[in-house]
């Protein structure tokens, strides 16, 4: 899972729209996402800052209501990251 996340981040440095299109399908409102989906968002934000800006509204709009659902420490930390 870490390797797949790293591949998506590497591809997302050049093709951010295609990567985000696929990753956002795994990021549904009301359903706590997998740890590595959030990790991929965080790493994409670091590696391609300007490419992620257009997606911030949809990501944050979906993520903010989910913050109360993150009960485990590893999920809390990845939401912060």
């Amino acid at each position: 899972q870490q390797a797949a996340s790293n591949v998506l981040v590497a591809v997302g440095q050049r093709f951010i729209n295609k990567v985000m299109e696929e990753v956002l399908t795994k990021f549904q409102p009301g359903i706590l996402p997998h740890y590595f989906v959030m990790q991929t968002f965080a790493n994409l934000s670091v590696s391609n800052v300007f490419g992620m800006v257009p997606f911030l509204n949809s990501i944050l709009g979906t993520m903010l209501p989910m913050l109360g659902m993150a009960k485990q420490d590893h999920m809390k930390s990845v939401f912060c990251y």
Side-chain angles (χ1 to χ4, degrees), residues 15-36:
F15 303 104
I16 189 71
N17 291 333
K18 292 287 186 184
V19 170
M20 287 303 295
E21 182 180 314
E22 292 300 320
V23 176
L24 284 172
T25 62
K26 303 294 182 192
F27 192 61
Q28 301 297 322
I31 303 170
L32 196 63
H34 193 274
Y35 174 86
F36 280 103

Side-chain angles (χ1 to χ4, degrees), residues 31-80:
I31 303 170
L32 196 63
H34 193 274
Y35 174 86
F36 280 103
V37 171
M38 296 303 297
Q39 184 76 32
T40 303
F41 282 148
N43 291 334
L44 277 170
S45 296
V46 171
S47 71
N48 190 348
V49 175
F50 295 111
M52 286 294 286
V53 170
F55 300 101
L56 284 180
N57 281 340
S58 63
I59 291 171
L60 291 176
T62 304
M63 187 173 68
L64 288 176
M66 289 184 202
L67 290 177
M69 296 169 56
K71 302 289 185 197
Q72 299 160 332
D73 286 342
H74 71 282
M75 287 303 290
K76 288 180 183 178
S77 68
V78 80
F79 268 87
C80 290

